[in-house]
Amino acid sequence: MTETKPFDISKRFVWEAYKRVKANKGAAGIDRQSMAEFEQSLAGNLYRIWNRMSSGSYFPPPVSAVAIPKKSGGERILGVPTISDRIAQTVATLVLNPILEPHFHEDSYGYRAGKSAHQALEVTRKRCWQYGWVLEYDIRGLFDHIDHGLLMKALRHHTDNKWILLYVQRWLTAPMQKRDGSIIPREVGSPQGGPLSPVLSNLFLHYALDNWLSTRHEAIPFCRYADDGIIHCRTRKQAVYMHQQIAERLNECGLEIHPEKTRIVYCKDANRTGDYENIQFDFLGYTFRPRKALNESGCAFLGFLPAPSNLALKSMRQTIRRWHLPLKSSWSLADLAQKFGPIIRGWMSYYCHFRRSALKDISFHLDKALARWAMRKYKRLRAHIVRAGKWIREVSQRDSGLFPHWRRSSSYVAGSMGAR
């Protein structure tokens, strides 16, 4: 006998959602259940999710409030759902994405398939050559202040799917649970950390900003990645006007422009020689500012160009220090490369996109840490940082494929460790 349910939800979507959640890994929710524990009764757990969602009886549990440090200081509160709830949210995301994606603006780059931070940076770089002024804006606490009524209105504009509307409303109002067990009710916001939050925030900002900008100010190009955005202007007067317009628009939607992270910037280069208090801005881990560069003929010129920000470089150096490489003297170099190589490779893939030499300082820092590891591992190198640095340089030249930063250029390796 065929089961009849109020809502037609494909079991295939539940299986696909499980595979995606498993691939993304992630911390346990308030039930402390790991993926390994969930998989001990995989078929039963997946059936339970499908059965409850299909029958309309699925009620999401509270999300676990987890504080993580920001690179710029302070903390960000993530709302971590349970594994079962992440799967349920992913089912909804699989249905919603094909519906909403075609409507999103081409210059919205965050959390979208086929879009990347590098694409956002590339289009920003090109437009900084074309436009002399930038309004760099940031939305204060976006995920904490999304208006549920406005969001549901936008969602109903695109779908009449009853189970989607029902469960999105329940997810929006699911409370947060702190470590001490206390419950925080929620009437606004969509906690950052769940699979559904990115698509909901993009939907909200599509109408709060993207669609509004493209219709009210169609001649002014913009680029947005989540809650960070760049607006290109031809004059300072236009940038001041857009600052006011953006602030008023966000206020209408229950949001606030971040006063300390929003500024007007002059894109100074060889063709723009004027002066202004701000001639640089940070976007997606890069700093755009006037820099010396070489053209195709090898001639030097001043361009307004991106490179890894000081904040990103500082974060990488802090990460290297947290590895405590000198304390791992029982490990081999191959062990260290296997453990930390993927992280280094990720840094290089992201931050060397525009300049091959972008991580020269980080390469030096890495090799200095490896030299200190060698000093602890080998008696002949103890108390001799210069000798240890020379040894690391020789190994990097002999086995350049061991660490990702060695493949780029052996010239970065500790040649002058004794002088620094």
Side-chain angles (χ1 to χ4, degrees):
M1 183 176 180
T2 304
E3 291 183 87
T4 57
K5 301 286 184 182
F7 302 131
D8 183 17
I9 298 175
S10 170
K11 291 180 179 178
R12 180 176 58 84
F13 276 2
V14 178
W15 177 251
E16 178 62 29
Y18 151 71
K19 290 193 295 182
R20 294 194 181 195
V21 170
K22 179 179 174 65
N24 289 335
K25 301 180 181 180
I30 62 167
D31 60 0
R32 301 289 184 264
Q33 185 183 48
S34 67
M35 178 58 75
E37 292 169 333
F38 181 87
E39 290 177 329
Q40 288 177 4
S41 182
L42 180 59
N45 285 330
L46 293 180
Y47 177 82
R48 188 175 299 109
I49 294 169
W50 172 83
N51 187 48
R52 290 177 179 176
M53 292 186 74
S54 299
S55 64
S57 62
Y58 182 81
F59 288 88
V63 294
S64 177
V66 177
I68 60 170
K70 294 182 180 179
K71 289 182 180 180
S72 56
E75 291 183 333
R76 173 184 287 111
I77 302 298
L78 295 185
V80 180
T82 63
I83 288 175
S84 292
D85 196 44
R86 289 208 290 276
I87 293 171
Q89 287 191 37
T90 303
V91 171
T93 303
L94 289 170
V95 174
L96 272 178
N97 267 332
I99 297 171
L100 300 178
E101 183 62 30
H103 300 280
F104 289 157
H105 197 277
E106 63 180 357
D107 280 320
S108 166
Y109 292 89
Y111 312 125
R112 296 180 63 188
K115 297 281 190 176
S116 71
H118 282 158
Q119 290 175 334
L121 290 161
E122 182 63 41
V123 75
T124 298
R125 181 177 70 153
K126 290 179 180 178
R127 287 172 179 168
C128 284
W129 300 340
Q130 300 167 348
Y131 296 80
W133 296 85
V134 155
L135 172 63
E136 171 200 11
Y137 72 86
D138 180 273
I139 302 171
R140 191 202 291 268
L142 167 65
F143 288 91
D144 297 329
H145 296 100
I146 289 177
D147 184 286
H148 291 177
L150 291 177
L151 177 57
M152 292 304 298
K153 179 181 178 181
L155 189 59
R156 283 192 291 269
H157 179 70
H158 290 284
T159 182
D160 59 0
N161 186 314
K162 292 183 179 180
W163 72 262
I164 287 284
L165 297 173
L166 172 67
Y167 291 134
V168 167
Q169 184 70 60
R170 288 180 183 175
W171 276 312
L172 287 174
T173 55
M176 297 186 77
Q177 181 173 308
K178 298 169 71 174
R179 279 193 172 186
D180 61 7
S182 59
I183 297 294
I184 306 172
R186 202 169 71 245
E187 297 179 355
V188 294
S190 176
Q192 194 171 0
L196 193 57
S197 291
V199 68
L200 294 182
S201 65
N202 268 337
L203 174 62
F204 190 86
L205 286 181
H206 173 74
Y207 287 104
L209 271 184
D210 302 348
N211 187 62
W212 176 82
L213 279 168
S214 61
T215 54
R216 298 291 185 89
H217 305 280
E218 59 182 343
I220 298 179
F222 70 92
C223 172
R224 181 179 65 79
Y225 195 100
D227 52 356
D228 293 330
I230 299 296
I231 295 177
H232 298 270
C233 302
R234 298 209 175 268
T235 65
R236 180 179 178 276
K237 182 178 179 181
Q238 189 179 58
V240 171
Y241 172 72
M242 288 307 300
H243 187 178
Q244 177 188 357
Q245 289 285 296
I246 289 285
E248 290 177 358
R249 175 59 181 174
L250 289 175
N251 185 257
E252 289 174 1
C253 300
L255 300 174
E256 181 184 2
I257 200 167
H258 199 302
E260 298 171 6
K261 297 182 180 180
T262 300
R263 66 167 105 183
I264 294 171
V265 177
Y266 180 51
C267 303
K268 186 172 183 175
D269 60 16
N271 299 315
R272 305 186 188 106
T273 57
D275 290 316
Y276 188 66
E277 57 181 332
N278 297 323
I279 57 171
Q280 68 176 49
F281 66 88
D282 286 359
F283 186 45
L284 301 177
Y286 278 77
T287 295
F288 287 74
R289 67 171 177 82
R291 301 178 191 275
K292 290 183 180 179
L294 298 177
N295 61 22
E296 294 178 356
S297 303
C299 298
F301 71 99
L302 185 69
F304 195 81
L305 301 168
S309 69
N310 288 336
L311 195 61
L313 294 172
K314 179 182 177 181
S315 176
M316 285 183 270
R317 288 192 297 267
Q318 290 174 337
T319 298
I320 294 168
R321 283 195 290 272
R322 286 196 295 269
W323 291 346
H324 301 295
L325 296 186
L327 300 182
K328 294 177 169 59
S329 57
S330 63
W331 294 29
S332 68
L333 265 180
D335 292 335
L336 296 177
Q338 183 178 12
K339 176 69 174 179
F340 303 114
I343 300 173
I344 300 168
R345 190 177 300 111
W347 290 343
M348 299 187 72
S349 174
Y350 187 77
Y351 288 107
C352 292
H353 187 76
F354 297 100
R355 288 189 171 211
R356 290 193 63 187
S357 62
L359 294 186
K360 183 175 181 179
D361 177 68
I362 298 303
S363 295
F364 172 85
H365 200 78
L366 275 165
D367 289 316
K368 189 171 183 178
L370 288 171
R372 296 193 182 280
W373 165 84
M375 290 168 61
R376 291 286 293 268
K377 187 172 183 67
Y378 302 110
K379 289 183 179 181
R380 69 181 187 277
L381 299 177
R382 287 178 186 171
H384 293 285
I385 183 66
V386 176
R387 191 184 301 172
K390 181 181 178 182
W391 182 80
I392 287 292
R393 182 170 68 251
E394 291 171 350
V395 175
S396 73
Q397 293 170 346
R398 188 170 61 248
D399 193 1
S400 62
L402 193 57
F403 285 91
H405 67 293
W406 287 357
R407 298 187 195 116
R408 285 279 181 164
S409 173
S410 60
S411 65
Y412 295 169
V413 182
S416 59
M417 284 185 179
R420 294 201 181 192

